[in-house]
Amino acid sequence: MSIRELVVLGTSSQVPTRYRAHNGLWLTWDGDGLLVDPGEGTQRQMLLAGLRASSIRHICVTHFHGDHCLGLAGVTQRISLDRVPHEVPVHFPASGQVYFERLRHASIFDDHARLSPRPIRESGTFVGPSYTLEARRLDHGVDAFGYRVVEPDGWTMVPERLAARGVRGPAVGRLLREGAVVADGGEVRIEEVAIHRKGQVVAFVMDTRLCDAAFELAAGADLLVCESTYLATEAVEARDHGHLTADQAGRIASEAGARSLVLTHFSQRYPLDAPFEHEARRRFDGPVVAARDLMRVPVPPRRTA
Amino acid sequence: MSIRELVVLGTSSQVPTRYRAHNGLWLTWDGDGLLVDPGEGTQRQMLLAGLRASSIRHICVTHFHGDHCLGLAGVTQRISLDRVPHEVPVHFPASGQVYFERLRHASIFDDHARLSPRPIRESGTFVGPSYTLEARRLDHGVDAFGYRVVEPDGWTMVPERLAARGVRGPAVGRLLREGAVVADGGEVRIEEVAIHRKGQVVAFVMDTRLCDAAFELAAGADLLVCESTYLATEAVEARDHGHLTADQAGRIASEAGARSLVLTHFSQRYPLDAPFEHEARRRFDGPVVAARDLMRVPVPPRRTA
């Protein structure tokens, strides 16, 4: 399975509404699921989205406000109930360890969950088989980190070039691993027979006021998921509460060179989401969508460079 | 407002399903709301049912399995956010105090909630303005209590009889309070001018295997809410896991002299709920309904005796 897509579980800030569940995000990355900020009800939203606990490979908590973590209790118990055999690293701000522990052991259950706590102090990089996960400190009043999923750059082999240089069989794999190989006509370097392929990047900039880290997380992202709790008319309130406006989200996407933008985490005061898209589009030329619960958004195909 | 009705928030056991939220029950009792066993997602189910956190007067947790308590975290934070001014007693098995505390302080929030923990050891009675709340130990493997809301018996005055005996004005209130009053023609006792009115009773028999306390809680209840996780074909499994079948729920309603029965807390293995009703009706003559999320069930009008 090489599906890479965002699955939106919940899109409200602070409290759920009739139309929006508590915040929750899921990134399907080939066979892996990365669960980001499970708000209350995430286990049911996963079910409605057709996502299984056994697919969870990482859990990333940006911070310990309830709409970003209360679902951890139910998700943990579902992981346990389903006897998920693998270890699931849970990344979270180190200062919130006590909340992690409370949610991890929130009620009585027959505990088979293999959660592996990964408290983050200043920043962090976690290397996975086909991506790295980077955390960077945001500015939200309480300790908060954004996350960035980065696929290493790679190469797309051009069969005609390989054939022309006589590279075949196991030599192809060696060329990929080592960057050069000796074939019939002498040394072949990978850039002679392959096209450089930029790895895909997905960034999660959740609760924060405008800060450098937001731009750094979003840098060159194929898909940027960015909170936009407020519209620009409430810019002062946004800053005071450590949040972004849709205008600022658009600015981050644009200045950081992101390719597409998903807005989410809307204050319940706004009855419609179209103004969020409208506002961000004035800043950012790429595709913009205001997330709705259970929406799926593909990660744009890799760029060739 | 003299509405007395059950509002069903969630009806699944253990895990939510596509069709059923995690367990959750609400009793509207005139202006008061009694929240029983808030499973995960209760704050949103309340919203969908049009119930406000400010209406919560008591929270009753039967036991600390996740489907009966995980919603406490979100409900607490909603009570806080809405600045509910009154104290909310939370009743729960004393041995689960640690879980209460974890859910009470599950994440970072600006805490204005006035929850008053009321751990129960063996049983308990809590007197409210227009009802008492009784707790009785059930048999579920982990400490568990059922609850019973009891309105004191009272009197319905018969205006013609009052007029005939010359009881009027403030004497009516005194008669109600003191049981007798001296009027124009001498002493008048209340039973001479009023009809005895049995108070309404609503019982919550949640997770338990068959036990005496289930019958005691249900005794004479106008409305009995009873778990029926299983059908009778799984009676052995039900007993082993500390649960009831629909057949047993029907038996409890019948033998305890309940007037109406609401079944809930269904195992996700059963695709349909009609067999639960069918099974209970073979035991119990009164109205039986298998609960669905957001269903409202009126408490039957008082009986006169």
Side-chain angles (χ1 to χ4, degrees), chain A residues 40-41 44 64 102 105 108, chain B residues 17 40-41 64 102 105 108:
Chain A
E40 183 176 3
R44 189 168 194 212
F64 281 98
R102 286 174 190 166
H105 305 284
I108 301 170
Chain B
T17 73
E40 183 176 3
F64 281 98
R102 287 175 190 165
H105 305 284
I108 301 170

Side-chain angles (χ1 to χ4, degrees), chain A residues 14-22 39-45 47-48 64-66 69-71 73-74 77-78 81 99 102-103 105-108 142 293, chain B residues 14-22 39-45 47-48 64-66 69-71 73-74 77-78 81 99 102-103 105-108 142 293:
Chain A
Q14 199 168 44
V15 287
T17 73
R18 290 180 74 80
Y19 307 101
R20 300 183 181 277
H22 239 188
E40 183 176 3
T42 289
Q43 75 164 311
R44 189 168 194 212
Q45 294 301 102
L47 191 79
L48 296 176
F64 281 98
H65 281 146
C69 68
L70 289 189
Q77 296 185 24
R78 186 73 210 219
L81 184 70
Y99 300 110
R102 286 174 190 166
L103 292 163
H105 305 284
S107 71
I108 301 170
V142 305
D293 291 12
Chain B
Q14 197 167 44
V15 288
T17 73
R18 290 181 74 81
Y19 307 102
R20 299 182 181 278
H22 239 187
E40 183 176 3
T42 290
Q43 77 165 309
R44 190 170 193 212
Q45 294 299 104
L47 192 78
L48 296 176
F64 281 98
H65 281 146
C69 67
L70 290 188
Q77 295 185 23
R78 185 74 211 217
L81 184 70
Y99 301 109
R102 287 175 190 165
L103 292 163
H105 305 284
S107 71
I108 301 170
V142 304
D293 291 12

Side-chain angles (χ1 to χ4, degrees), chain A residues 41-199:
Chain A
T42 289
Q43 75 164 311
R44 189 168 194 212
Q45 294 301 102
M46 281 175 51
L47 191 79
L48 296 176
L51 302 171
R52 294 174 167 280
S54 58
S55 300
I56 302 175
R57 286 286 163 177
H58 287 273
I59 299 175
C60 302
V61 175
T62 62
H63 65 294
F64 281 98
H65 281 146
D67 51 332
H68 297 258
C69 68
L70 289 189
L72 202 53
V75 168
T76 299
Q77 296 185 24
R78 186 73 210 219
I79 285 173
S80 172
L81 184 70
D82 291 357
R83 298 288 196 281
V84 173
H86 57 264
E87 195 174 86
V88 177
V90 185
H91 311 274
F92 56 82
S95 64
Q97 178 108 24
V98 61
Y99 300 110
F100 169 75
E101 296 296 342
R102 286 174 190 166
L103 292 163
R104 170 70 181 84
H105 305 284
S107 71
I108 301 170
F109 66 108
D110 188 17
D111 192 353
H112 298 272
R114 297 187 57 213
L115 300 190
S116 160
R118 305 286 173 94
I120 307 167
R121 276 164 222 291
E122 272 314 310
S123 65
T125 302
F126 311 92
V127 178
S130 66
Y131 51 84
T132 59
L133 180 60
E134 299 170 17
R136 215 171 273 261
R137 180 179 290 280
L138 293 169
D139 180 12
H140 184 49
V142 305
D143 279 353
F145 291 90
Y147 293 92
R148 180 176 158 92
V149 180
V150 179
E151 179 185 40
D153 292 353
W155 297 94
T156 303
M157 294 293 176
V158 181
E160 306 79 52
R161 295 191 200 165
L162 286 170
R165 300 296 300 272
V167 181
R168 64 185 78 83
V172 178
R174 213 159 62 238
L175 178 62
L176 252 181
R177 283 192 306 276
E178 295 169 15
V181 76
V182 177
D184 306 347
E187 194 192 62
V188 179
R189 279 174 301 126
I190 193 161
E191 59 269 27
E192 299 175 276
V193 293
I195 297 165
H196 186 253
R197 189 192 67 199
K198 217 173 141 28

